[in-house]
Amino acid sequence: MTPNPYLFIVIFAGVALAFPLLPLGLAWLWRRFFQPPKPGVGKNAIYECGVESIGEAQIQFRSQYYLYAIIFLIFDVEAIFLVPFAVAFTSLPVGAFIAILVFLLLLIEGLIWAWGKGCLNWAK
Amino acid sequence: MSEGIDEGLRRELQRQGVWVTSMQELYNWGRKNSIWPLQFGLACCAIEMIATAASRYDIARFGGEIFRPSPRQADLMIVAGTVTKKMAPQIVRLYNQMPDPKYVISMGACAISGGPFKQGYNVLKGIDRYIPVDVYIPGCPPRPEALLHAFMELQRKIDSQKLSGADKAEFLKPEQPSEFPVPAFGEHDLQPPANPDVYHPPKLERV
């Protein structure tokens, strides 16, 4: 009789659960019977490379950064495409050349659009 | 080594393929072979520490290659280099944030006593003024072999720590503090200049 094929998934899930829980349980038992807990203000403080943390960790980021990041990403990817294009430039057929020009044109169009929208002006 | 069992009987059993151990021995064996140091360098000694971690000296042979970038996961702090007074509070804070059991190796002349900068106005004259140190390594800077030697000494110390009884390890005693006061920047010096609970300078006696 062949076992149910899903049985292995159940075994796998059981092992996956036991693997982290067993050491955690052992650590808990260890703390319970041997190691006295020693929490403290400094010990539980936020870790900032030893420097005392100033202010809250949850702060609001300016959404302005997001547009810059998107535009940067687009031109970063463009540069990656342009390198193989430049390497294979002399042996490219006309069709491929026109295709990459269209690609460039689309990106330039996007830049002009972003420019026209005022995304490149740093809003205070 | 282990209490409660005769050493001769233990050897005899071992010869027959039966390994007898104690909780304490097993625990210490695991601890001493997986000491995770804090990734923390201060000056030129840190270069020697890096060399010790790299392939030629290879601290991985002793189970200490996992340099942790966070004190929460570290067992050992290697104070590698000159401790300036500006840096001392940060070191004490990092030490405080390490979980017990924790150990400190004071690496090099500067970390021990201020070394060649002892007369300087801005150098702490030994990190043992604020935190307890387990192993001192002299040298300026110490060779990687010296750091390995210190590491082995620390392993020996861990191996000899007891889990129970009156002379059990310090970190198992509830009254033993896990944190030490962080010094503050004073007008001329750190305040306090040393922690009297930790710092016991050698007494010089003229005879």
Side-chain angles (χ1 to χ4, degrees), chain B residues 137-188:
Chain B
I137 325 171
C140 188
R143 300 252 330 146
E145 291 95 331
L147 182 55
L148 288 177
H149 182 227
F151 207 82
M152 286 156 74
E153 285 298 324
L154 184 66
Q155 286 184 326
R156 251 168 240 142
K157 175 174 182 171
I158 291 174
D159 207 24
S160 67
Q161 286 189 319
K162 292 197 164 47
L163 281 185
S164 52
D167 56 343
K168 66 182 175 184
E170 295 286 302
F171 66 92
L172 294 172
K173 292 176 183 161
E175 72 276 7
Q176 192 68 26
S178 174
E179 280 182 57
F180 292 93
V182 179
F185 298 123
E187 197 178 350
H188 300 294

Coordinates of all heavy atoms in Angstrom, one line a residue, chain B residues 137-188:
Chain B
I137 N 45.0 40.5 26.7 CA 46.1 40.1 25.8 C 47.0 41.3 25.7 O 46.7 42.4 25.2 CB 45.6 39.8 24.4 CG1 44.3 39.1 24.4 CG2 46.7 39.0 23.6 CD1 43.7 39.0 22.9
P138 N 48.3 41.2 26.1 CA 49.2 42.3 25.9 C 49.7 42.3 24.5 O 49.6 41.3 23.8 CB 50.3 42.0 26.9 CG 50.3 40.5 27.1 CD 48.9 40.1 26.9
G139 N 50.3 43.4 24.1 CA 50.8 43.5 22.7 C 50.4 44.8 22.1 O 49.4 45.4 22.5
C140 N 51.1 45.2 21.1 CA 50.8 46.5 20.5 C 51.0 46.4 19.0 O 52.0 46.9 18.5 CB 51.5 47.6 21.1 SG 51.0 49.2 20.6
P141 N 50.1 45.9 18.2 CA 49.0 45.1 18.5 C 49.4 43.7 18.8 O 50.5 43.3 18.3 CB 48.1 45.2 17.3 CG 49.0 45.4 16.2 CD 50.2 46.2 16.7
P142 N 48.6 42.9 19.5 CA 48.9 41.5 19.6 C 48.8 40.7 18.3 O 48.0 41.1 17.5 CB 47.9 40.9 20.6 CG 47.2 42.1 21.1 CD 47.4 43.2 20.2
R143 N 49.6 39.7 18.1 CA 49.6 38.9 16.9 C 48.3 38.1 16.9 O 47.7 37.8 18.0 CB 50.8 38.0 16.8 CG 52.1 38.6 16.8 CD 52.8 38.6 15.5 NE 52.5 37.4 14.7 CZ 52.5 37.5 13.4 NH1 52.7 38.6 12.8 NH2 52.2 36.4 12.7
P144 N 47.8 37.7 15.7 CA 46.6 36.8 15.7 C 46.8 35.6 16.6 O 45.8 35.1 17.2 CB 46.5 36.5 14.2 CG 47.1 37.6 13.5 CD 48.2 38.1 14.4
E145 N 48.0 35.0 16.6 CA 48.2 33.9 17.5 C 47.9 34.2 19.0 O 47.3 33.4 19.7 CB 49.7 33.4 17.5 CG 50.1 32.8 16.1 CD 50.7 33.8 15.2 OE1 50.4 35.0 15.3 OE2 51.6 33.3 14.4
A146 N 48.2 35.4 19.4 CA 47.9 35.8 20.7 C 46.4 35.9 21.0 O 45.9 35.5 22.0 CB 48.5 37.2 21.0
L147 N 45.7 36.4 20.0 CA 44.2 36.4 20.1 C 43.6 35.0 20.2 O 42.7 34.7 21.0 CB 43.6 37.2 18.9 CG 42.1 37.4 19.0 CD1 41.6 38.0 20.3 CD2 41.6 38.2 17.8
L148 N 44.2 34.1 19.4 CA 43.8 32.7 19.4 C 44.1 32.1 20.8 O 43.2 31.4 21.3 CB 44.4 31.9 18.3 CG 44.0 32.2 16.9 CD1 44.8 31.4 15.9 CD2 42.5 31.9 16.7
H149 N 45.2 32.5 21.3 CA 45.5 32.0 22.6 C 44.5 32.5 23.7 O 44.1 31.7 24.5 CB 47.0 32.4 23.0 CG 47.4 31.9 24.3 ND1 48.0 32.7 25.3 CD2 47.3 30.7 24.9 CE1 48.3 32.0 26.4 NE2 47.9 30.8 26.1
A150 N 44.2 33.8 23.6 CA 43.2 34.3 24.5 C 41.9 33.6 24.3 O 41.2 33.3 25.3 CB 43.0 35.8 24.2
F151 N 41.5 33.3 23.1 CA 40.3 32.6 22.8 C 40.3 31.3 23.4 O 39.3 30.8 24.0 CB 40.2 32.5 21.3 CG 38.7 32.4 20.8 CD1 38.0 33.5 20.6 CD2 38.2 31.2 20.5 CE1 36.7 33.5 20.2 CE2 36.9 31.1 20.1 CZ 36.1 32.3 19.9
M152 N 41.4 30.6 23.4 CA 41.5 29.3 24.0 C 41.5 29.4 25.5 O 40.9 28.5 26.2 CB 42.8 28.6 23.6 CG 42.7 28.1 22.1 SD 44.3 27.9 21.4 CE 44.9 26.4 22.2
E153 N 42.1 30.4 26.1 CA 42.0 30.6 27.5 C 40.5 30.8 27.9 O 40.1 30.3 29.0 CB 42.8 31.9 27.9 CG 44.3 31.6 27.9 CD 44.7 30.6 28.9 OE1 44.1 30.5 30.0 OE2 45.6 29.8 28.6
L154 N 39.8 31.6 27.1 CA 38.4 31.8 27.4 C 37.6 30.5 27.3 O 36.7 30.3 28.2 CB 37.8 32.9 26.4 CG 36.4 33.3 26.7 CD1 36.3 34.0 28.0 CD2 35.9 34.1 25.5
Q155 N 37.9 29.7 26.3 CA 37.3 28.4 26.3 C 37.5 27.6 27.5 O 36.6 26.9 28.0 CB 37.8 27.7 25.0 CG 37.2 28.2 23.7 CD 37.6 27.4 22.5 OE1 38.7 26.9 22.5 NE2 36.7 27.4 21.5
R156 N 38.8 27.7 28.0 CA 39.1 26.9 29.2 C 38.3 27.5 30.4 O 37.8 26.7 31.2 CB 40.6 27.1 29.5 CG 41.4 25.8 29.3 CD 42.9 26.0 29.3 NE 43.4 25.7 28.0 CZ 44.4 26.3 27.3 NH1 44.9 27.4 27.9 NH2 44.8 25.9 26.2
K157 N 38.1 28.8 30.4 CA 37.4 29.4 31.5 C 35.9 28.9 31.5 O 35.3 28.6 32.5 CB 37.4 30.9 31.4 CG 36.6 31.6 32.4 CD 36.7 33.1 32.5 CE 35.8 33.6 33.6 NZ 36.0 35.0 33.9
I158 N 35.3 28.9 30.2 CA 33.9 28.5 30.1 C 33.8 27.1 30.5 O 32.8 26.7 31.2 CB 33.5 28.7 28.6 CG1 33.4 30.2 28.3 CG2 32.2 28.1 28.4 CD1 33.1 30.5 26.9
D159 N 34.8 26.3 30.1 CA 34.7 24.9 30.4 C 34.7 24.6 31.9 O 34.1 23.6 32.4 CB 35.9 24.1 29.8 CG 35.6 22.7 29.5 OD1 34.4 22.4 29.3 OD2 36.5 21.9 29.3
S160 N 35.4 25.5 32.7 CA 35.5 25.3 34.1 C 34.3 25.9 34.9 O 34.3 25.8 36.1 CB 36.8 25.8 34.6 OG 36.8 27.2 34.5
Q161 N 33.4 26.6 34.2 CA 32.3 27.2 35.0 C 31.3 26.2 35.4 O 31.0 25.3 34.7 CB 31.7 28.3 34.1 CG 32.5 29.5 33.9 CD 31.9 30.7 33.3 OE1 31.1 30.5 32.3 NE2 32.1 31.9 33.8
K162 N 30.8 26.4 36.6 CA 29.9 25.5 37.2 C 28.5 25.9 37.1 O 28.2 27.1 37.2 CB 30.3 25.2 38.7 CG 31.6 24.5 38.8 CD 31.8 23.9 40.2 CE 32.9 22.9 40.2 NZ 34.1 23.3 39.5
L163 N 27.6 25.0 37.0 CA 26.1 25.4 36.8 C 25.4 25.5 38.2 O 24.4 26.1 38.3 CB 25.4 24.3 36.0 CG 25.6 24.4 34.5 CD1 24.8 23.3 33.8 CD2 25.3 25.7 34.0
S164 N 25.9 24.8 39.2 CA 25.2 24.8 40.4 C 26.2 24.9 41.6 O 27.4 24.8 41.3 CB 24.4 23.5 40.6 OG 25.1 22.4 40.3
G165 N 25.7 25.0 42.8 CA 26.6 25.1 43.9 C 26.9 26.5 44.3 O 26.5 27.4 43.6
A166 N 27.7 26.6 45.3 CA 28.0 28.0 45.8 C 29.0 28.7 44.9 O 29.0 29.9 44.8 CB 28.6 27.9 47.2
D167 N 29.9 27.9 44.2 CA 30.9 28.5 43.3 C 30.4 28.5 41.9 O 31.2 28.3 41.0 CB 32.2 27.9 43.5 CG 32.2 26.4 43.3 OD1 31.0 25.8 43.3 OD2 33.2 25.7 43.1
K168 N 29.1 28.6 41.7 CA 28.7 28.5 40.3 C 29.0 29.8 39.5 O 29.4 30.8 40.2 CB 27.2 28.3 40.2 CG 26.3 29.4 40.8 CD 24.8 28.9 40.7 CE 23.9 29.9 41.4 NZ 22.5 29.5 41.4
A169 N 28.9 29.8 38.2 CA 29.3 30.9 37.4 C 28.6 32.2 37.8 O 27.4 32.1 38.2 CB 29.1 30.6 35.9
E170 N 29.3 33.3 37.6 CA 28.8 34.6 38.0 C 27.4 34.9 37.3 O 26.5 35.4 38.0 CB 29.8 35.7 37.6 CG 31.1 35.6 38.4 CD 31.0 36.0 39.8 OE1 30.5 37.1 40.0 OE2 31.3 35.2 40.7
F171 N 27.3 34.6 36.1 CA 26.1 35.0 35.3 C 24.9 34.2 35.8 O 23.8 34.6 35.5 CB 26.3 34.8 33.8 CG 26.5 33.4 33.3 CD1 25.4 32.7 32.9 CD2 27.7 32.8 33.3 CE1 25.5 31.4 32.5 CE2 27.8 31.5 32.9 CZ 26.7 30.8 32.5
L172 N 25.1 33.1 36.5 CA 23.9 32.4 37.0 C 23.4 32.9 38.4 O 22.4 32.4 38.9 CB 24.3 30.9 37.1 CG 24.6 30.2 35.8 CD1 25.1 28.8 36.0 CD2 23.3 30.1 35.0
K173 N 24.2 33.8 39.0 CA 23.8 34.3 40.3 C 22.8 35.4 40.1 O 23.1 36.4 39.4 CB 25.0 34.8 41.1 CG 25.9 33.6 41.5 CD 27.2 34.1 42.2 CE 28.1 32.9 42.5 NZ 29.4 33.3 42.7
P174 N 21.7 35.4 40.7 CA 20.7 36.4 40.5 C 21.1 37.8 40.9 O 20.7 38.8 40.4 CB 19.4 36.0 41.3 CG 19.7 34.5 41.6 CD 21.2 34.3 41.6
E175 N 22.0 37.8 42.0 CA 22.3 39.1 42.5 C 23.5 39.8 41.7 O 23.7 41.0 41.8 CB 22.8 39.0 44.0 CG 24.1 38.3 44.2 CD 24.0 36.8 44.2 OE1 22.9 36.3 43.9 OE2 25.0 36.2 44.5
Q176 N 24.1 39.0 40.8 CA 25.2 39.6 40.0 C 24.6 40.4 38.9 O 23.7 39.9 38.1 CB 26.0 38.4 39.4 CG 27.3 38.8 38.8 CD 28.3 39.3 39.8 OE1 28.2 38.9 41.0 NE2 29.2 40.2 39.4
P177 N 25.0 41.7 38.8 CA 24.3 42.5 37.7 C 24.8 42.1 36.3 O 25.9 41.6 36.1 CB 24.8 43.9 38.1 CG 26.1 43.7 38.8 CD 26.0 42.4 39.5
S178 N 23.8 42.3 35.4 CA 24.1 42.1 34.0 C 24.5 43.4 33.3 O 25.0 43.4 32.2 CB 22.9 41.4 33.4 OG 23.1 41.3 32.0
E179 N 24.1 44.5 33.9 CA 24.4 45.8 33.3 C 25.3 46.6 34.2 O 25.2 46.4 35.4 CB 23.0 46.6 33.2 CG 22.2 46.2 32.0 CD 21.0 47.1 31.9 OE1 21.2 48.3 31.9 OE2 19.9 46.5 32.0
F180 N 26.1 47.4 33.6 CA 26.9 48.3 34.4 C 26.6 49.7 34.0 O 26.3 50.0 32.9 CB 28.4 47.9 34.2 CG 28.7 46.6 34.7 CD1 28.6 45.4 33.9 CD2 29.1 46.4 36.0 CE1 28.9 44.2 34.4 CE2 29.3 45.2 36.6 CZ 29.3 44.1 35.8
P181 N 26.8 50.6 35.0 CA 26.4 52.0 34.7 C 27.2 52.6 33.6 O 28.5 52.4 33.5 CB 26.7 52.8 36.1 CG 27.2 51.7 37.0 CD 27.2 50.4 36.4
V182 N 26.6 53.3 32.7 CA 27.2 53.9 31.6 C 27.8 55.3 32.0 O 27.1 56.1 32.6 CB 26.2 54.2 30.4 CG1 26.9 54.8 29.2 CG2 25.6 52.9 30.0
P183 N 29.1 55.5 31.8 CA 29.7 56.8 32.3 C 29.2 57.9 31.4 O 28.8 57.7 30.2 CB 31.2 56.6 32.1 CG 31.3 55.5 31.1 CD 30.1 54.6 31.2
A184 N 29.1 59.1 32.0 CA 28.6 60.3 31.3 C 29.8 61.2 31.0 O 30.9 61.1 31.7 CB 27.6 61.0 32.1
F185 N 29.7 62.1 30.0 CA 30.8 63.0 29.7 C 30.8 64.1 30.7 O 29.8 64.8 30.9 CB 30.6 63.6 28.3 CG 30.6 62.6 27.2 CD1 29.5 62.5 26.3 CD2 31.7 61.8 27.0 CE1 29.6 61.5 25.3 CE2 31.7 60.9 26.0 CZ 30.7 60.7 25.2
G186 N 31.9 64.2 31.5 CA 32.0 65.3 32.5 C 32.7 66.5 31.9 O 33.0 66.5 30.7
E187 N 33.1 67.4 32.8 CA 33.7 68.6 32.3 C 35.2 68.3 31.8 O 35.6 68.8 30.8 CB 33.8 69.6 33.4 CG 34.1 71.0 33.0 CD 34.1 72.0 34.1 OE1 33.6 71.6 35.2 OE2 34.5 73.1 33.9
H188 N 35.9 67.4 32.6 CA 37.2 67.1 32.2 C 37.4 65.6 31.9 O 38.4 65.2 31.3 CB 38.2 67.5 33.3 CG 38.1 69.0 33.6 ND1 38.5 69.9 32.7 CD2 37.7 69.6 34.7 CE1 38.4 71.1 33.2 NE2 37.9 71.0 34.4

